Every structure is written in C-alpha cells, then in structure tokens.
C-alpha cells in the first residue's frame, strides 16, 4: 500500500519523499524513533508518507473511506433505518 501512495505522489521511494518534504530536524526525530523502536519502523514511515501525501498531494485513503462507508451502512441497517 505504501508503494501505491508513493507512486500516486510521483515517488519511487519513501526516502526520497521524506527527504524532499521534511526538515532536517524532523528527519533526525524520525531516525531517533526508528532506532529506539525498530519494530515500529514500518508504521512510522507509513504514517509520515500518508501525512505528506494527504497534505501536499491531496491523496485520499480510498480503502479507509470504503470501510467507513460500510460501517455506516451497517450501523443504519442494525438500527433499522
């Protein structure tokens, strides 16, 4: 999924996107988080990529929107509306 976001924004790698759109201090903080919690590295990078994609490239998480719509439809069905 992260690769789809990168391609939508015109990037081949998360590193390129992050280095183009984050300040040096932000990159240093991200590196610190990655080193301190390597088990969460994928989530940290994905979160930053998604944030940049939404803020700068108007990317929309269609899967999340579909899940939300399905949840709302089920809630209406469950509540008898």
């Amino acid at each position: 999924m992260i690769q789809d976001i990168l391609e939508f924004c015109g990037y081949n790698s998360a590193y390129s996107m992050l280095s183009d759109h984050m300040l040096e201090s932000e990159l240093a903080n991200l590196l610190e988080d990655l080193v301190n919690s390597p088990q969460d590295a994928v989530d940290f990078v994905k979160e930053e990529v998604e944030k940049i994609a939404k803020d700068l490239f108007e990317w929309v998480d269609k899967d999340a929107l579909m899940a939300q719509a399905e949840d709302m439809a089920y809630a209406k069905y469950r509540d008898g509306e």
Side-chain angles (χ1 to χ4, degrees):
M1 177 159 166
I2 193 169
Q3 194 61 38
D4 294 336
I5 299 168
L6 292 169
E7 288 175 8
F8 176 88
C9 298
Y11 285 90
N12 293 323
S13 76
Y15 176 79
S16 295
M17 181 187 217
L18 296 176
S19 66
D20 283 353
H21 298 286
M22 293 178 78
L23 300 173
E24 190 173 318
S25 60
E26 293 171 322
L27 286 170
N29 289 336
L30 179 61
L31 177 60
E32 181 179 358
D33 291 340
L34 296 174
V35 170
N36 289 334
S37 299
Q39 69 278 5
D40 297 323
V42 172
D43 294 332
F44 289 146
V45 172
K46 184 179 177 198
E47 183 179 302
E48 290 300 325
V49 166
E50 287 180 348
K51 180 181 174 204
I52 292 168
K54 287 176 185 175
D55 293 348
L56 301 177
F57 296 93
E58 298 180 6
W59 174 79
V60 176
D61 187 346
K62 293 177 185 172
D63 293 334
L65 286 177
M66 290 298 294
Q68 183 180 16
E70 289 171 1
D71 291 346
M72 290 172 63
Y74 176 73
K76 279 186 170 187
Y77 167 77
R78 182 191 66 220
D79 296 340
E81 292 181 25

